Amino acid sequence: MQEGLLDPESAALAAFVDLDGVNETVSSLHRAFPDSLRVLHAFAAKANCLVPVLDELRRSGMGCEVASAGELAQALEAGFDPARIVFDSPAKTRQELAWALDLGVAVNADSFQELDRLDEILATRSSASRLGVRINPQIGAGSISAMSTATATSKFGIPLADEGNRRRLLQTYRDRPWLTWLHTHVGSQGCPPDLIAHGVAKAVEFAEEINTHLGRRQVTGIDVGGGLSVNFDSDETTPGFDTYVDQLRAHAPALFSGRYEIVTEFGRSVMAKNGFMAAYVEYTKTVGGRPIAITHAGAQVATRTAFAPDAWPLRVEAHDSRGRAKHGRPVHQDVAGPCCFAGDLLARDRALPLLDTGDLVVVPDTGAYYFSTPFHYNSLPEPAVHGARIDADGRVTFRLLRPAQAGFQVPVRAGR
Ligand SMILES: *Cc1c(COP(=O)(O)O)cnc(C)c1O
């Protein structure tokens, strides 16, 4: 571990991104789809919105999917060509829509009301944006309901199976020749690839139905969303993008016919395995007979894990103060964070070598939706994020991707 990146007093928590790993993952995504297809892989910015990370993804050949004006600003700052940005949000304001259309950013309308707003805006200007509609194929949920967006009553998109909607959508496309894309995103973590592929198949079938109904190839592109799950219980990457593409081929062969341009919107599966956090253990104690290690990583950087531990289990690895893996006999213990509420735990009753004050805990698989979007509870500062890369001589080099948040500093006299 390079001096200074972690320090028990000044940097008791830090996060790391494996930049070589990011490039390898993006290559595996590109390889999974046949070269003959026109595919734009748009990284879902909400999974890791740090501008230098987005910049790295852009250099590796990705586009960017954004779900708010703030993410759109970050994508532009990272240098994405507006034509390679896709704007999805269920709550786009008139101003945000006008901004996106002026830039030429692709927009997927989430509702019939949003389509009416697009009509108003397009009456006053022309736009290079690719415009589509997000449909909800209503095919059911995965194992985490909060992550499932294709249930009968999900808040996203136009529900395809609701009374009258198919007919109304056909008329919508007939009336608006500028609507040339169809979008769906079935859900995220906990949705198996065959469920996602089944939802995509519904979108592809509907695109074919629109084109047949209109007697012209109006729908020219299909945005299949993201959502490939990550396995949080080992270093393996399963399922891989190739498994997902096999499922797509089986369920939606027309997607591979070459008749459609494709957009994908993967987030977690691109970044989760390429980031980790490390935190010092500040204290240990035994409560009700169970050992507890109090660390500096808790709900502020592992919010989902703290509030929904069963849906979002994370591995925790025990290391000594110099970063070497500990090999002691496994002891059941809790690994807690610094926040002032009892549920602030990274792991409960977990068998690990007994942690001591001054040890380091490492939390793998946290490159997406963890340290990149911290929760500001207890006025805890955002930790620094360091990008790591192996140079030509085989040495690990670090680059600061986000400085630690400048926040409260203990006055020096009190701190010594
Ligand atoms: C969150 C989201 C994604 C990315 O989901 P992952 O599970 O991170 O791959 C893609 N598209 C939309 C519309 C989303 O809301």
Side-chain angles (χ1 to χ4, degrees), residues 44 46 65 88 134 183 185 188 226-228 265-268 369:
K46 71 177 184 287
E65 186 263 358
D88 298 327
R134 177 169 180 171
H183 174 223
H185 170 70
S188 292
L228 190 64
E265 305 175 339
F266 295 106
R268 182 175 289 102
Y369 301 98

Side-chain angles (χ1 to χ4, degrees), residues 178-207:
W178 42 263
L179 267 184
T180 53
W181 278 70
L182 199 61
H183 174 223
T184 192
H185 170 70
V186 168
S188 292
Q189 187 69 20
C191 291
D194 66 328
L195 180 77
I196 297 179
H198 181 46
V200 170
K202 295 272 181 202
V204 176
E205 279 160 28
F206 191 53

